[in-house]
Amino acid sequence: MKKFQMPDTYVIIFIVVLFAALLTHTVPVGKFQMHKVTYKTETGVEKSREVPIAGSFAYELNDAGKPLIKGVKFFEPGGNVGISNYVFEGITSGDKWGTAVGVIAFIIITGGAFGIILRTKAVEAGLISLIKKTKGSGNWLIIFVFLSFSLGGAVFGMGEEAIPFAMVLIPIVIGMGYDAITGIMITYVSTQVGFATSWMNPFSVAIAQGVAGIPVLSGATFRIFMWVFFTAFCIIFTLIYAKKVKANPQSSISYETDAYYRKEFDLDEKQDIKFTFGHKLVLLTVVVGMAWIIYGVVKFGYYLPEIATQFVIMGVVAGIIGVFFKLDNMRVNDIAVSFRKGAEDLIGAAIVVGMAKGIVLVLGGTSAGEPSVLNTILNWVATGLSGMPAALCAWVMYIFQSVFNFFVVSGSGQAALTMPIMAPLSDLVGVSRQVSVLAFQLGDGFTNLIVPTSGILIAVLGIARLEWIKWAKFQIKFQVVLFILGSLFVLGGMFIGLQ
């Protein structure tokens, strides 16, 4: 008997597409009336969004005056969405401002830019120097990186930016005797923990609060405490896990796939690498570039186009420094070659973004003003919540946002689609709007750690050479713990009257 082979991420997404297509043949489509809401960000910048009007849902009707069931076909010509062309339509959908095509371009470009930075060997030399100074102890590296990235997720919504750092740190921690899981924890998981528990994330909680009609940055004391709690908890969890793996490397589910990096990055063989002035200049370029990104995001609302450009500038400057100082015998052509290699490494993850978007397109898209199955499901959930006790309603909101994130991975997109419905509904059932925002951000953020429709997660797993199904085996237990703790914070917000 042949051993059962776990399905690839692409296979899993295709199965979900078939399920979504089935839904379109059974669930009628509907839409909401739309209106514009205006709110101020934490920096005082005024922004506006088109959002649905709560209670305005109506089914699209067929010629007989009954709710329309608009089943998706296998093949659709003329640029329409069918099962067979969900990948192409997903990849080409949207624009550069955060939708599929923009995220795909961002992933490829930042991968290329950090390919140049990695080619200089500056990060490698710097971390080896750090390891020598800390006498090989990885605990301080784990704590520092996790804390820094979690803060990045909380302050400026760090997410995609974790991808290039994963390219650097995952091989390093494997070379130190840990595993790819440890590397994923300190690079990607840390950003999403900060993202989920943020008090000022401009792409998640700030938009949700603005759309919900409550002051941006309100409830910050509660959320800062929540961020401290979850960050500390996850750091301790990571340290315990890393210690266990270092004591017994074969206990790791990624032990076999880690062999690639164990051969490529052996600390014993790289002890002679010198940390030169050229290396320091490259790292200074990265630090200054990241500071510029943080400043731009917080002060001017920079998003994917600006951040991608900043990464390109960082990469080119690092490449010029590498050539000038002959770092690892680097030449001008190596700048182009390493950019191409870095981009190639993330093509698979970029395609996942398009495939995930294809799921949403099969369901009719995420526009509340256009007829879709997603709108109908959102209305069903809102109607079902109206008869529940307040505390239970808040908890179900958290569950719903967690599940909904599978289909709409974008934090800002999910906030704009669900919060206009959940915020006024929360008034009717005795849940404060602040708690409804809390349910959204925790549900959106924590499930980013496991949903295969997250292009960032798949990109990091690709760098780690780890299949999603293996990651899910490890992550599911951690996800349950996060869900329980998240539930306690949502209920805690209810009981203390968070406003």
Side-chain angles (χ1 to χ4, degrees):
M1 180 181 291
K2 292 183 178 180
K3 185 179 179 182
F4 174 73
Q5 186 177 17
M6 291 296 181
D8 185 84
T9 304
Y10 288 9
V11 175
I12 293 170
I13 292 179
F14 182 68
I15 292 172
V16 175
V17 168
L18 294 179
F19 175 71
L22 178 63
L23 284 180
T24 67
H25 288 274
T26 56
V27 178
V29 297
K31 64 182 180 180
F32 294 88
Q33 295 179 26
M34 305 291 286
H35 72 140
K36 182 178 288 187
V37 297
T38 302
Y39 61 95
K40 288 188 175 181
T41 67
E42 65 274 12
T43 58
V45 178
E46 192 172 89
K47 292 193 174 184
S48 61
R49 279 181 175 266
E50 287 285 334
V51 299
I53 300 174
S56 67
F57 177 84
Y59 286 111
E60 191 82 354
L61 303 179
N62 58 22
D63 294 337
K66 295 181 179 180
L68 174 65
I69 294 179
K70 194 177 180 181
V72 68
K73 298 178 181 178
F74 175 76
F75 175 75
E76 281 281 11
N80 296 315
V81 180
I83 297 174
S84 58
N85 64 335
Y86 79 97
V87 180
F88 178 84
E89 294 298 332
I91 289 175
T92 58
S93 65
D95 54 40
K96 62 185 177 182
W97 300 104
T99 45
V101 68
V103 175
I104 289 168
F106 179 87
I107 289 175
I108 293 173
I109 289 170
T110 54
F114 250 77
I116 299 172
I117 293 169
L118 292 177
R119 177 61 179 80
T120 67
K121 303 292 184 181
V123 177
E124 188 175 317
L127 286 173
I128 288 174
S129 176
L130 176 64
I131 292 168
K132 287 179 181 178
K133 291 179 179 178
T134 57
K135 298 180 180 179
S137 173
N139 288 347
W140 288 112
L141 177 67
I142 291 172
I143 294 171
F144 174 76
V145 174
F146 199 111
L147 182 62
S148 299
F149 284 20
S150 177
L151 187 61
V155 173
F156 68 97
M158 183 178 184
E160 290 90 348
E161 298 86 348
I163 295 172
F165 286 101
M167 297 170 70
V168 176
L169 289 169
I170 288 175
I172 293 289
V173 296
I174 292 174
M176 293 173 66
Y178 301 113
D179 66 346
I181 300 291
T182 305
I184 297 170
M185 290 293 292
I186 66 174
T187 53
Y188 178 66
V189 172
S190 55
T191 64
Q192 298 311 297
V193 168
F195 195 97
T197 60
S198 172
W199 61 97
M200 63 177 293
N201 183 343
F203 306 119
S204 176
V205 65
I207 291 176
Q209 288 180 323
V211 170
I214 58 178
V216 175
L217 293 184
S218 57
T221 301
F222 180 88
R223 287 184 171 86
I224 290 172
F225 170 77
M226 183 170 66
W227 174 77
V228 171
F229 173 85
F230 276 100
T231 300
F233 170 80
C234 292
I235 287 175
I236 293 170
F237 176 90
T238 304
L239 288 172
I240 293 172
Y241 173 80
K243 182 179 180 181
K244 173 187 171 185
V245 168
K246 194 161 189 177
N248 181 17
Q250 295 185 353
S251 66
S252 169
I253 61 172
S254 64
Y255 179 76
E256 292 181 4
T257 52
D258 287 348
Y260 174 85
Y261 286 124
R262 277 196 298 271
K263 293 177 181 177
E264 182 182 277
F265 193 93
D266 188 332
L267 278 177
D268 292 334
E269 295 179 1
K270 296 181 180 284
Q271 290 296 323
D272 295 333
I273 293 180
K274 295 181 179 179
F275 189 35
T276 66
F277 180 70
H279 291 141
K280 293 176 183 177
L281 282 180
V282 172
L283 293 184
L284 179 62
T285 300
V286 175
V287 171
V288 171
M290 291 306 300
W292 182 23
I293 289 173
I294 295 171
Y295 177 75
V297 169
V298 175
K299 183 71 175 176
F300 302 110
Y302 285 176
Y303 199 36
L304 296 185
E306 297 89 352
I307 298 173
T309 303
Q310 290 165 307
F311 271 118
V312 169
I313 294 171
M314 269 193 276
V316 171
V317 172
I320 293 171
I321 294 171
V323 172
F324 183 82
F325 286 93
K326 294 182 172 52
L327 301 179
D328 198 37
N329 296 318
M330 195 169 177
R331 297 182 178 183
V332 173
N333 280 351
D334 289 327
I335 298 177
V337 172
S338 53
F339 182 91
R340 184 166 59 245
K341 178 65 168 60
E344 287 173 357
D345 288 342
L346 295 181
I347 286 292
I351 292 175
V352 168
V353 174
M355 296 176 74
K357 182 63 177 181
I359 297 172
V360 176
L361 293 179
V362 167
L363 291 171
T366 58
S367 172
E370 298 293 331
S372 73
V373 170
L374 276 182
N375 288 336
T376 302
I377 294 173
L378 178 58
N379 181 65
W380 285 352
V381 172
T383 303
L385 287 172
S386 60
M388 295 182 181
L392 180 60
C393 185
W395 186 58
V396 173
M397 282 183 178
Y398 174 41
I399 296 174
F400 167 70
Q401 297 286 9
S402 299
V403 174
F404 202 74
N405 191 48
F406 183 95
F407 301 99
V408 185
V409 183
S410 165
S412 57
Q414 188 174 340
L417 184 59
T418 64
M419 289 315 301
I421 309 300
M422 293 300 165
L425 176 64
S426 65
D427 296 338
L428 299 176
V429 297
V431 176
S432 73
R433 293 193 174 200
Q434 196 70 262
V435 171
S436 69
V437 171
L438 184 66
F440 152 73
Q441 67 178 108
L442 291 174
D444 168 57
F446 287 154
T447 48
N448 286 334
L449 301 176
I450 196 168
V451 292
T453 49
S454 169
I456 310 172
L457 171 61
I458 299 303
V460 174
L461 292 180
I463 293 166
R465 299 178 174 267
L466 187 66
E467 295 177 359
W468 176 83
I469 199 72
K470 284 190 175 183
W471 167 252
K473 281 183 179 180
F474 166 82
Q475 176 62 24
I476 190 65
K477 296 178 183 177
F478 187 57
Q479 195 72 34
V480 169
V481 175
L482 290 178
F483 175 77
I484 293 172
L485 293 175
S487 298
L488 292 176
F489 270 89
V490 170
L491 295 175
M494 273 292 299
F495 294 137
I496 68 171
L498 181 64
Q499 297 292 333

